[in-house]
Amino acid sequence: MNPLSQKLTDKYEIILASSSPRRFEILTEQMGFDNIKVMKPSFEEDLDKSLYVKRPSDYVQDTCKEKAKSILQELTPGSKSKLVLCADTIVVDHTDEIYEKPVEKEIQLRNLLRFTQSGKPMRVITAVTIIIYNTPQEYSFDSFYEQTEVYFDSNIPRSIVEMYVESGDGLQVAGGFKVQGFSGCLIKKVNGDYYNVVGLPLNGTWKRLCTLI
Amino acid sequence: MNPLSQKLTDKYEIILASSSPRRFEILTEQMGFDNIKVMKPSFEEDLDKSLYVKRPSDYVQDTCKEKAKSILQELTPGSKSKLVLCADTIVVDHTDEIYEKPVEKEIQLRNLLRFTQSGKPMRVITAVTIIIYNTPQEYSFDSFYEQTEVYFDSNIPRSIVEMYVESGDGLQVAGGFKVQGFSGCLIKKVNGDYYNVVGLPLNGTWKRLCTLI
């Protein structure tokens, strides 16, 4: 563990409020934490998108805050303060349509064909909420979001997109693709924080955490 | 293994001419190959940089071709054609100065402080050479390169850069940092193929390979 992650771990119980293995990897492999507790938010992620027309970053920030609130109810005071990291990721197209986690291959294929054929970048927006918790009466919320453009390759044949969907990968993840898996082959370039596409803005989150030491 | 990587493996013996574990991971984890043979090029990577003033992409392409040539001498005909993938990566600043693999912490620190303080993007250039080999008389070379801009964060304190260098990570890799490790925390954004910074342009290489089936 690097000295700064060690200092944070000495001061706080670090909790990742997400069941995403990718976010866990960013905290452990990139930021160098160990002893992270994982908690799954109970919020259903069912905010009414029609209330957020043309405001996708508000939608993802509100979802993230609701997830954070649902974790807050599960916390109990301990010997150390708790540092809870919560995140939510959506994919948005140039019309501001919001793409979340497809649960069916048909929807995933339709999305990915749109992405590869659009000729325009998709935007991946990840909202992050950091809670510092001492007691049910004494806690603070800090929130931010980050956006990364993802340019899918319009020269990738439909047959390769179909092959990818058929593999079963990319279901249940934002947008229906994992930039860090085979679907990375379909992506020509990113513009922004790559780890934001994976699920957590690395540089932005790290800088916030460093202010908490 | 996905069907396309399977077809390539059926047709060719796949050889990675690089000892970089990161390139190996891109071939296995992203592209889905298994049974990759690894060979280490014997070329010393000592081309005279003064002959390439303001032409860093020529420098890295020539280095890559020399590495590929050194592998060619080691190959012997087999029952299948061989597909050899060779790559070389350099980091270049806005003055076209070339940064390769630092072997000493002092040089690595000097480089990283320049990167974080410059306010301008570094460019990571990876050259790729693909050899299709049947016999010493019958083979072909295909080469290309790709460039990705890397924006280091000028708000990262010097103490964090020093802490990173002190950890011993990032020595012996192009530029003295691994975008996929802790030093990713120092990077605000990339513009281009992220995997090109890791060591192999994923989308570009995959498209070339797909034409070989």
Side-chain angles (χ1 to χ4, degrees):
Chain A
M1 192 151 39
N2 67 58
L4 289 173
S5 301
Q6 185 67 58
K7 278 187 190 172
L8 281 160
T9 305
D10 290 345
K11 190 168 177 184
Y12 303 101
E13 182 185 359
I14 312 286
I15 298 171
L16 172 63
S18 168
S19 50
S20 152
R22 297 168 298 285
R23 292 191 183 117
F24 184 82
E25 276 174 28
I26 290 172
L27 288 183
T28 53
E29 292 179 19
Q30 268 76 40
M31 296 189 190
F33 287 105
D34 54 19
N35 288 322
I36 292 170
K37 185 174 175 185
V38 174
M39 293 176 76
K40 192 177 177 331
S42 58
F43 179 64
E44 287 292 348
E45 307 189 19
D46 55 0
L47 295 180
D48 182 355
K49 289 192 186 66
S50 70
L51 301 175
Y52 294 90
V53 174
K54 300 282 176 197
R55 297 189 297 122
S57 61
D58 287 348
Y59 170 80
V60 67
Q61 284 186 98
D62 283 356
T63 299
C64 189
K65 282 175 198 162
E66 291 300 328
K67 287 165 83 170
K69 278 186 206 163
S70 76
I71 286 292
L72 198 57
Q73 295 166 358
E74 310 284 327
L75 300 177
T76 50
S79 56
K80 277 200 279 194
S81 297
K82 297 180 204 299
L83 190 166
V84 184
L85 200 69
C86 191
D88 194 65
T89 301
I90 55 170
V91 177
V92 176
D93 69 12
H94 64 286
T95 69
D96 282 330
E97 181 173 339
I98 295 168
Y99 299 79
E100 287 192 288
K101 302 167 186 169
V103 289
E104 289 166 8
K105 286 183 178 180
E106 291 70 25
I107 294 171
Q108 185 192 13
L109 180 63
R110 190 198 63 194
N111 291 357
L112 290 176
L113 289 174
R114 275 196 200 170
F115 298 170
T116 52
Q117 289 161 4
S118 91
K120 295 190 175 68
M122 298 300 118
R123 287 173 291 141
V124 177
I125 310 178
T126 297
V128 178
T129 299
I130 296 169
I131 311 174
I132 300 294
Y133 174 93
N134 286 307
T135 71
Q137 290 76 40
E138 191 191 342
Y139 61 85
S140 66
F141 267 61
D142 178 27
S143 290
F144 70 101
Y145 75 95
E146 208 160 307
Q147 180 170 291
T148 301
E149 289 180 328
V150 177
Y151 293 75
F152 280 81
D153 186 351
S154 54
N155 290 321
I156 286 287
R158 181 187 171 110
S159 60
I160 292 188
V161 181
E162 286 172 343
M163 179 199 86
Y164 173 64
V165 170
E166 209 39 59
S167 77
D169 194 58
L171 281 174
Q172 303 281 5
V173 297
F177 65 97
K178 294 178 188 166
V179 65
Q180 75 279 16
F182 175 77
S183 42
C185 295
L186 315 178
I187 292 168
K188 207 162 53 177
K189 73 166 192 160
V190 299
N191 185 17
D193 185 324
Y194 164 85
Y195 290 98
N196 194 44
V197 186
V198 179
L200 191 69
L202 177 58
N203 170 258
T205 304
W206 175 253
K207 277 195 291 189
R208 299 273 172 150
L209 293 181
C210 284
T211 65
L212 298 171
I213 295 170
Chain B
M1 192 152 39
N2 68 58
L4 289 173
S5 300
Q6 185 66 60
K7 276 188 190 170
L8 281 161
T9 305
D10 290 345
K11 191 169 175 184
Y12 302 102
E13 181 184 0
I14 312 285
I15 298 170
L16 172 63
S18 170
S19 49
S20 154
R22 298 168 298 284
R23 292 190 181 117
F24 185 82
E25 276 174 30
I26 291 172
L27 288 183
T28 53
E29 291 178 19
Q30 268 76 40
M31 296 189 189
F33 287 104
D34 55 19
N35 288 322
I36 292 170
K37 185 174 174 184
V38 174
M39 293 176 78
K40 192 178 179 329
S42 58
F43 179 64
E44 288 291 346
E45 308 189 20
D46 57 357
L47 295 179
D48 181 355
K49 289 191 186 70
S50 70
L51 301 174
Y52 294 91
V53 174
K54 301 281 174 196
R55 298 189 295 122
S57 61
D58 287 349
Y59 170 80
V60 66
Q61 286 186 98
D62 283 356
T63 299
C64 189
K65 283 176 198 161
E66 291 300 327
K67 285 164 84 170
K69 277 185 204 164
S70 76
I71 286 292
L72 198 58
Q73 295 165 358
E74 310 284 327
L75 301 176
T76 50
S79 55
K80 278 202 275 194
S81 297
K82 296 179 204 302
L83 190 166
V84 184
L85 200 68
C86 192
D88 195 64
T89 301
I90 54 169
V91 177
V92 176
D93 70 13
H94 65 286
T95 70
D96 282 332
E97 182 173 339
I98 296 169
Y99 298 79
E100 288 193 288
K101 301 168 187 167
V103 290
E104 289 165 11
K105 286 182 178 180
E106 291 69 27
I107 295 170
Q108 185 192 13
L109 179 62
R110 192 198 62 196
N111 291 357
L112 290 176
L113 289 175
R114 275 197 200 171
F115 298 170
T116 52
Q117 290 162 3
S118 92
K120 295 189 173 70
M122 299 298 119
R123 288 173 289 142
V124 177
I125 310 177
T126 297
V128 178
T129 299
I130 297 169
I131 311 173
I132 300 295
Y133 174 93
N134 287 307
T135 71
Q137 290 75 40
E138 190 191 342
Y139 62 86
S140 66
F141 267 60
D142 178 27
S143 290
F144 69 102
Y145 75 95
E146 208 159 307
Q147 182 171 289
T148 300
E149 289 179 329
V150 177
Y151 292 74
F152 279 81
D153 186 351
S154 53
N155 290 321
I156 286 287
R158 181 187 170 112
S159 61
I160 292 188
V161 180
E162 286 171 345
M163 180 199 86
Y164 173 64
V165 170
E166 210 39 58
S167 78
D169 194 59
L171 281 174
Q172 303 281 4
V173 298
F177 66 97
K178 294 178 188 167
V179 67
Q180 76 280 14
F182 173 78
S183 42
C185 295
L186 315 179
I187 292 168
K188 206 162 57 179
K189 72 167 195 160
V190 299
N191 184 17
D193 185 324
Y194 165 86
Y195 291 98
N196 195 44
V197 186
V198 179
L200 193 68
L202 177 57
N203 170 258
T205 304
W206 175 253
K207 279 196 290 189
R208 299 274 172 146
L209 293 181
C210 283
T211 65
L212 297 172
I213 295 171

